[in-house]
Amino acid sequence: MTLETPPGYAPLSEATLPAFLAAVPALANRLGGTPADWRVNEVGDGNLNLVFLVEGPGHDGRTAGLCVKQSLPYLRLVGEGWPLDLNRAWFEQRAMALHAAGAAGRAPALLHYDPALYAIVMERLSPHVILRRGLVQGIRYPKLAEHVSDYLAGTLYATSDLALPASKKRPLVAAFTANDALCRLTEDVIFTQPYMKHPHNRWTSPQLDATAEAVRTDTAWKLAASRLKLKFMASPEALIHGDLHTGSIMVTETDTRVIDPEFAFFGPMGFDVGAIIGNLLLNYLSQDGHATEEHPRDAYQDWVLATVEELWTLFRAKFLHLWRTSGEGDAYPAALFAGPEGTACLETERRTYLDRLFTDALGFAGAKITRRILGLAHNMDLETIADPDLRALCETRCLALARSLMVETGRYPTIKSVTEAARHVRRTVTAVGPVDRRGLGWDAL
Amino acid sequence: MTLETPPGYAPLSEATLPAFLAAVPALANRLGGTPADWRVNEVGDGNLNLVFLVEGPGHDGRTAGLCVKQSLPYLRLVGEGWPLDLNRAWFEQRAMALHAAGAAGRAPALLHYDPALYAIVMERLSPHVILRRGLVQGIRYPKLAEHVSDYLAGTLYATSDLALPASKKRPLVAAFTANDALCRLTEDVIFTQPYMKHPHNRWTSPQLDATAEAVRTDTAWKLAASRLKLKFMASPEALIHGDLHTGSIMVTETDTRVIDPEFAFFGPMGFDVGAIIGNLLLNYLSQDGHATEEHPRDAYQDWVLATVEELWTLFRAKFLHLWRTSGEGDAYPAALFAGPEGTACLETERRTYLDRLFTDALGFAGAKITRRILGLAHNMDLETIADPDLRALCETRCLALARSLMVETGRYPTIKSVTEAARHVRRTVTAVGPVDRRGLGWDAL
């Protein structure tokens, strides 16, 4: 460890974790037995942190588990050369607590936080798997859209100016502005670096070399990315998760939990909604790299797009329902909109609000797709396609869709038009090469 | 004093002020002589605070002056029944310091801040008068548009995401979220109370009784106010003054200084721009209440509208110039827009940005006019019109223009169209009564 860390901080290990847990009676009781009985595995395969799963004998013959997530003082994906604020653990546990109020049961339960070790202890999810892995394997999750829309509508509405009085929201906004390091990371690696020459960028080479170069001179695309960046920086609409891709969701066929809100801050709601939609669209277009004659993926791809449609449709309905039936926010004071005319007017305004949120989400979805192909962090959806030519073709389709969502955002009136565009791109983009700057060719759609 | 205040706080008085100033060597030196030589006058005629002017013998035969502004723990306009956070003095002096960097010389110099007494010591402006008083008297200020546009462009640009890196802006945003009390005051008295029955409201009665009642059932007007309120609450574009009416500007024929930024926080730039435009438009429409046969005001009214046009035109040009020539902000990274195509694209984007800011400003201008006629705080521009029927007529014209700016905002492409609407209202609204919900009658314009 060459990086300086605060007094009292040290990375936990499989060897030191039992003593840490034993010192917190509620955790020790939950695991049962004695520390010697506890099995610990470090499983952090993510980009940023240490993650330990702990199993104890529990009580009544049923084993009990915990998950411990600890910040490292650098970006694990890159190494110690990229220091990263330990405080992200504080923001994560705070967001977990605030989000639990809006979307109970859609995230692991928060059990303990140790501020000196920057360590969060939470419910261990079992037998959950990371959604992205399941999607790459072609597994269906029939409750996914239902549950993720619960999470999105619940967390975003509850922390917005629609539900929260301004005097309660302002101190929360202030607290999360300190999550500067992770906001900056998003600003850099999502909205800036993929559109310029940067040592962090990589792509399927040489297949996408010309594509990446063309993006760097595509002024309309760069302008769209910059507008989205400004929206990201200065739209404190709600406490957003900030990193809601398919790797931040754990699933079984009947349960869905959102994890890892360490990027949380008060930002545009469309960023979360767009993140999950963008990652599902990317997965849809990656399936052609995984399909075989024995195991075609066409029907599965239909399911992925149906899930995108359902997710948005349910989110919209649930958000509207919450707004109609609850909230003490200072925006649109109820007293001003009593009576039939006021009620009708406010309902129109709600729909306008959601239409604007939809447009934001599509732009962000495009930005999230682009960065996974040209930027620092890539997705296993595409990375596990062994044939680089086939992978590059899938990626070219992704980029064509992403650019259209960002540059031609106004062309998408409904979620159906988005899934149709995804199908269109899959059908019509048949060769690797720079993305057509004339857009998707809507006349043919 | 029945309100509880922090230890060390006590309201200053003409008697105790000299000892306070004598304890700060730089201030005592500036005044010259001994405390016994200093003349102190309490002159706070505003709504919120104690204000003292101090004069000392100075040096070299030239007298020297200071101004001391101290927070009271309540809203002076209403009395001790309305407590108000003392900390507003902290926000004011912090805003003065930050704004001085962007618009040097357009505000009194900040000389000292006493955190225990919540007292700001600043340059005494002399022979400056409050702009509003001068306007009511029909005095021209040839440099007004030039100077106020300097202030607006300089302060707003310098504290925006265009000029300030996100990591520097975020802590400032956080610090000013604590100005909750004054933000809430704006949210309540500007955006909410004038549109409902509320004990704080007053208006010229009985002349405007039907008008006020009609506003309370004018759904389109209330919706516009609510949208503006949400924009006010959640658009941290720049450190705005927050109360930039014509009573917050001190002038001579050659100098202009902005005072009283105690409402400062990170909000929408259009709120400041709209505040000054709205107050000038209100003044224009109030002049008919002051004109006499001997002293007609028509030519002066032309000057007021010419100043509105010049102010916006200069602001726009100066803001664009600053953006083209300076700034290290994270929005629209320069590296992405090098070369002729990038430069041209960014220039178009800048103009789009200013067009949007213009639209925001018009809506806020309308809201600022409305609250001065139906809400808590009124303007001497209208209040000093002795004949209540004539006053009510002027106010009816103000409200017709205000509603149009708020509800028909999209109908105003240029500042010229705004001043034309003001002339139109003056010409066509000839009777007191509820504002026509069909709008300004644009076909006749």
PDB file of all heavy atoms in Angstrom, chain B residues 9-29:
ATOM      1  N   TYR B   9     -24.011  37.183  20.099  1.00  0.00           N
ATOM      2  CA  TYR B   9     -24.781  38.035  19.190  1.00  0.00           C
ATOM      3  C   TYR B   9     -25.583  39.048  19.975  1.00  0.00           C
ATOM      4  O   TYR B   9     -26.207  38.725  20.987  1.00  0.00           O
ATOM      5  CB  TYR B   9     -25.737  37.212  18.333  1.00  0.00           C
ATOM      6  CG  TYR B   9     -26.642  38.112  17.483  1.00  0.00           C
ATOM      7  CD1 TYR B   9     -26.192  38.617  16.268  1.00  0.00           C
ATOM      8  CD2 TYR B   9     -27.916  38.489  17.928  1.00  0.00           C
ATOM      9  CE1 TYR B   9     -26.979  39.470  15.511  1.00  0.00           C
ATOM     10  CE2 TYR B   9     -28.726  39.338  17.175  1.00  0.00           C
ATOM     11  CZ  TYR B   9     -28.246  39.825  15.972  1.00  0.00           C
ATOM     12  OH  TYR B   9     -29.024  40.657  15.216  1.00  0.00           O
ATOM     13  N   ALA B  10     -25.549  40.282  19.514  1.00  0.00           N
ATOM     14  CA  ALA B  10     -26.472  41.312  20.015  1.00  0.00           C
ATOM     15  C   ALA B  10     -26.630  42.311  18.894  1.00  0.00           C
ATOM     16  O   ALA B  10     -25.664  42.588  18.167  1.00  0.00           O
ATOM     17  CB  ALA B  10     -25.907  41.978  21.264  1.00  0.00           C
ATOM     18  N   PRO B  11     -27.806  42.860  18.723  1.00  0.00           N
ATOM     19  CA  PRO B  11     -27.953  43.873  17.683  1.00  0.00           C
ATOM     20  C   PRO B  11     -27.074  45.066  18.014  1.00  0.00           C
ATOM     21  O   PRO B  11     -27.007  45.490  19.170  1.00  0.00           O
ATOM     22  CB  PRO B  11     -29.444  44.252  17.747  1.00  0.00           C
ATOM     23  CG  PRO B  11     -30.111  43.160  18.518  1.00  0.00           C
ATOM     24  CD  PRO B  11     -29.082  42.603  19.447  1.00  0.00           C
ATOM     25  N   LEU B  12     -26.384  45.556  17.017  1.00  0.00           N
ATOM     26  CA  LEU B  12     -25.597  46.772  17.202  1.00  0.00           C
ATOM     27  C   LEU B  12     -26.532  47.977  17.246  1.00  0.00           C
ATOM     28  O   LEU B  12     -27.683  47.900  16.825  1.00  0.00           O
ATOM     29  CB  LEU B  12     -24.596  46.926  16.046  1.00  0.00           C
ATOM     30  CG  LEU B  12     -23.459  45.905  16.030  1.00  0.00           C
ATOM     31  CD1 LEU B  12     -22.821  45.813  14.649  1.00  0.00           C
ATOM     32  CD2 LEU B  12     -22.410  46.246  17.087  1.00  0.00           C
ATOM     33  N   SER B  13     -26.027  49.075  17.794  1.00  0.00           N
ATOM     34  CA  SER B  13     -26.808  50.308  17.815  1.00  0.00           C
ATOM     35  C   SER B  13     -25.877  51.453  17.471  1.00  0.00           C
ATOM     36  O   SER B  13     -24.648  51.286  17.420  1.00  0.00           O
ATOM     37  CB  SER B  13     -27.414  50.524  19.202  1.00  0.00           C
ATOM     38  OG  SER B  13     -26.371  50.823  20.122  1.00  0.00           O
ATOM     39  N   GLU B  14     -26.445  52.619  17.275  1.00  0.00           N
ATOM     40  CA  GLU B  14     -25.599  53.781  16.996  1.00  0.00           C
ATOM     41  C   GLU B  14     -24.614  54.011  18.142  1.00  0.00           C
ATOM     42  O   GLU B  14     -23.490  54.468  17.930  1.00  0.00           O
ATOM     43  CB  GLU B  14     -26.480  55.023  16.751  1.00  0.00           C
ATOM     44  CG  GLU B  14     -27.330  54.864  15.489  1.00  0.00           C
ATOM     45  CD  GLU B  14     -28.210  56.076  15.186  1.00  0.00           C
ATOM     46  OE1 GLU B  14     -28.151  57.062  15.942  1.00  0.00           O
ATOM     47  OE2 GLU B  14     -28.937  56.034  14.177  1.00  0.00           O
ATOM     48  N   ALA B  15     -25.021  53.622  19.347  1.00  0.00           N
ATOM     49  CA  ALA B  15     -24.162  53.835  20.514  1.00  0.00           C
ATOM     50  C   ALA B  15     -23.025  52.813  20.590  1.00  0.00           C
ATOM     51  O   ALA B  15     -21.902  53.153  20.987  1.00  0.00           O
ATOM     52  CB  ALA B  15     -25.001  53.767  21.792  1.00  0.00           C
ATOM     53  N   THR B  16     -23.312  51.568  20.216  1.00  0.00           N
ATOM     54  CA  THR B  16     -22.289  50.523  20.402  1.00  0.00           C
ATOM     55  C   THR B  16     -21.410  50.333  19.176  1.00  0.00           C
ATOM     56  O   THR B  16     -20.371  49.680  19.240  1.00  0.00           O
ATOM     57  CB  THR B  16     -22.950  49.167  20.733  1.00  0.00           C
ATOM     58  OG1 THR B  16     -23.817  48.802  19.637  1.00  0.00           O
ATOM     59  CG2 THR B  16     -23.774  49.253  22.007  1.00  0.00           C
ATOM     60  N   LEU B  17     -21.794  50.886  18.048  1.00  0.00           N
ATOM     61  CA  LEU B  17     -21.049  50.610  16.820  1.00  0.00           C
ATOM     62  C   LEU B  17     -19.599  51.109  16.853  1.00  0.00           C
ATOM     63  O   LEU B  17     -18.694  50.378  16.414  1.00  0.00           O
ATOM     64  CB  LEU B  17     -21.793  51.199  15.612  1.00  0.00           C
ATOM     65  CG  LEU B  17     -21.334  50.634  14.263  1.00  0.00           C
ATOM     66  CD1 LEU B  17     -21.693  49.156  14.128  1.00  0.00           C
ATOM     67  CD2 LEU B  17     -21.932  51.428  13.109  1.00  0.00           C
ATOM     68  N   PRO B  18     -19.336  52.331  17.371  1.00  0.00           N
ATOM     69  CA  PRO B  18     -17.941  52.796  17.357  1.00  0.00           C
ATOM     70  C   PRO B  18     -16.970  51.839  18.040  1.00  0.00           C
ATOM     71  O   PRO B  18     -15.874  51.584  17.511  1.00  0.00           O
ATOM     72  CB  PRO B  18     -18.018  54.154  18.073  1.00  0.00           C
ATOM     73  CG  PRO B  18     -19.404  54.636  17.766  1.00  0.00           C
ATOM     74  CD  PRO B  18     -20.260  53.397  17.828  1.00  0.00           C
ATOM     75  N   ALA B  19     -17.352  51.290  19.198  1.00  0.00           N
ATOM     76  CA  ALA B  19     -16.448  50.361  19.892  1.00  0.00           C
ATOM     77  C   ALA B  19     -16.178  49.125  19.041  1.00  0.00           C
ATOM     78  O   ALA B  19     -15.054  48.607  18.976  1.00  0.00           O
ATOM     79  CB  ALA B  19     -17.058  49.949  21.238  1.00  0.00           C
ATOM     80  N   PHE B  20     -17.227  48.641  18.355  1.00  0.00           N
ATOM     81  CA  PHE B  20     -17.065  47.484  17.474  1.00  0.00           C
ATOM     82  C   PHE B  20     -16.051  47.796  16.365  1.00  0.00           C
ATOM     83  O   PHE B  20     -15.137  47.018  16.085  1.00  0.00           O
ATOM     84  CB  PHE B  20     -18.434  47.093  16.876  1.00  0.00           C
ATOM     85  CG  PHE B  20     -18.361  46.224  15.663  1.00  0.00           C
ATOM     86  CD1 PHE B  20     -17.895  44.916  15.745  1.00  0.00           C
ATOM     87  CD2 PHE B  20     -18.777  46.696  14.415  1.00  0.00           C
ATOM     88  CE1 PHE B  20     -17.830  44.103  14.614  1.00  0.00           C
ATOM     89  CE2 PHE B  20     -18.713  45.907  13.292  1.00  0.00           C
ATOM     90  CZ  PHE B  20     -18.242  44.602  13.388  1.00  0.00           C
ATOM     91  N   LEU B  21     -16.170  48.967  15.751  1.00  0.00           N
ATOM     92  CA  LEU B  21     -15.280  49.315  14.651  1.00  0.00           C
ATOM     93  C   LEU B  21     -13.862  49.601  15.146  1.00  0.00           C
ATOM     94  O   LEU B  21     -12.876  49.245  14.492  1.00  0.00           O
ATOM     95  CB  LEU B  21     -15.822  50.547  13.911  1.00  0.00           C
ATOM     96  CG  LEU B  21     -17.176  50.347  13.223  1.00  0.00           C
ATOM     97  CD1 LEU B  21     -17.712  51.682  12.712  1.00  0.00           C
ATOM     98  CD2 LEU B  21     -17.070  49.343  12.080  1.00  0.00           C
ATOM     99  N   ALA B  22     -13.782  50.193  16.340  1.00  0.00           N
ATOM    100  CA  ALA B  22     -12.467  50.549  16.885  1.00  0.00           C
ATOM    101  C   ALA B  22     -11.614  49.311  17.145  1.00  0.00           C
ATOM    102  O   ALA B  22     -10.374  49.373  17.116  1.00  0.00           O
ATOM    103  CB  ALA B  22     -12.633  51.355  18.171  1.00  0.00           C
ATOM    104  N   ALA B  23     -12.277  48.185  17.371  1.00  0.00           N
ATOM    105  CA  ALA B  23     -11.549  46.954  17.681  1.00  0.00           C
ATOM    106  C   ALA B  23     -10.925  46.321  16.441  1.00  0.00           C
ATOM    107  O   ALA B  23     -10.167  45.352  16.542  1.00  0.00           O
ATOM    108  CB  ALA B  23     -12.489  45.959  18.367  1.00  0.00           C
ATOM    109  N   VAL B  24     -11.252  46.817  15.258  1.00  0.00           N
ATOM    110  CA  VAL B  24     -10.666  46.282  14.025  1.00  0.00           C
ATOM    111  C   VAL B  24      -9.752  47.362  13.443  1.00  0.00           C
ATOM    112  O   VAL B  24     -10.235  48.344  12.861  1.00  0.00           O
ATOM    113  CB  VAL B  24     -11.756  45.897  13.009  1.00  0.00           C
ATOM    114  CG1 VAL B  24     -11.128  45.260  11.771  1.00  0.00           C
ATOM    115  CG2 VAL B  24     -12.800  44.987  13.641  1.00  0.00           C
ATOM    116  N   PRO B  25      -8.425  47.211  13.623  1.00  0.00           N
ATOM    117  CA  PRO B  25      -7.510  48.308  13.267  1.00  0.00           C
ATOM    118  C   PRO B  25      -7.707  48.824  11.837  1.00  0.00           C
ATOM    119  O   PRO B  25      -7.686  50.053  11.635  1.00  0.00           O
ATOM    120  CB  PRO B  25      -6.121  47.669  13.439  1.00  0.00           C
ATOM    121  CG  PRO B  25      -6.334  46.575  14.451  1.00  0.00           C
ATOM    122  CD  PRO B  25      -7.723  46.062  14.224  1.00  0.00           C
ATOM    123  N   ALA B  26      -7.919  47.945  10.882  1.00  0.00           N
ATOM    124  CA  ALA B  26      -8.025  48.412   9.496  1.00  0.00           C
ATOM    125  C   ALA B  26      -9.227  49.337   9.325  1.00  0.00           C
ATOM    126  O   ALA B  26      -9.168  50.308   8.570  1.00  0.00           O
ATOM    127  CB  ALA B  26      -8.146  47.215   8.549  1.00  0.00           C
ATOM    128  N   LEU B  27     -10.302  49.040  10.050  1.00  0.00           N
ATOM    129  CA  LEU B  27     -11.500  49.872   9.931  1.00  0.00           C
ATOM    130  C   LEU B  27     -11.285  51.211  10.652  1.00  0.00           C
ATOM    131  O   LEU B  27     -11.651  52.278  10.139  1.00  0.00           O
ATOM    132  CB  LEU B  27     -12.712  49.143  10.511  1.00  0.00           C
ATOM    133  CG  LEU B  27     -13.037  47.780   9.871  1.00  0.00           C
ATOM    134  CD1 LEU B  27     -14.231  47.142  10.571  1.00  0.00           C
ATOM    135  CD2 LEU B  27     -13.296  47.914   8.375  1.00  0.00           C
ATOM    136  N   ALA B  28     -10.689  51.137  11.852  1.00  0.00           N
ATOM    137  CA  ALA B  28     -10.437  52.356  12.625  1.00  0.00           C
ATOM    138  C   ALA B  28      -9.504  53.279  11.860  1.00  0.00           C
ATOM    139  O   ALA B  28      -9.745  54.494  11.769  1.00  0.00           O
ATOM    140  CB  ALA B  28      -9.843  51.990  13.989  1.00  0.00           C
ATOM    141  N   ASN B  29      -8.457  52.701  11.260  1.00  0.00           N
ATOM    142  CA  ASN B  29      -7.523  53.519  10.469  1.00  0.00           C
ATOM    143  C   ASN B  29      -8.229  54.177   9.304  1.00  0.00           C
ATOM    144  O   ASN B  29      -7.973  55.324   8.975  1.00  0.00           O
ATOM    145  CB  ASN B  29      -6.393  52.637   9.928  1.00  0.00           C
ATOM    146  CG  ASN B  29      -5.434  52.257  11.037  1.00  0.00           C
ATOM    147  OD1 ASN B  29      -5.419  52.894  12.094  1.00  0.00           O
ATOM    148  ND2 ASN B  29      -4.654  51.215  10.810  1.00  0.00           N
TER     149      ASN B  29
END
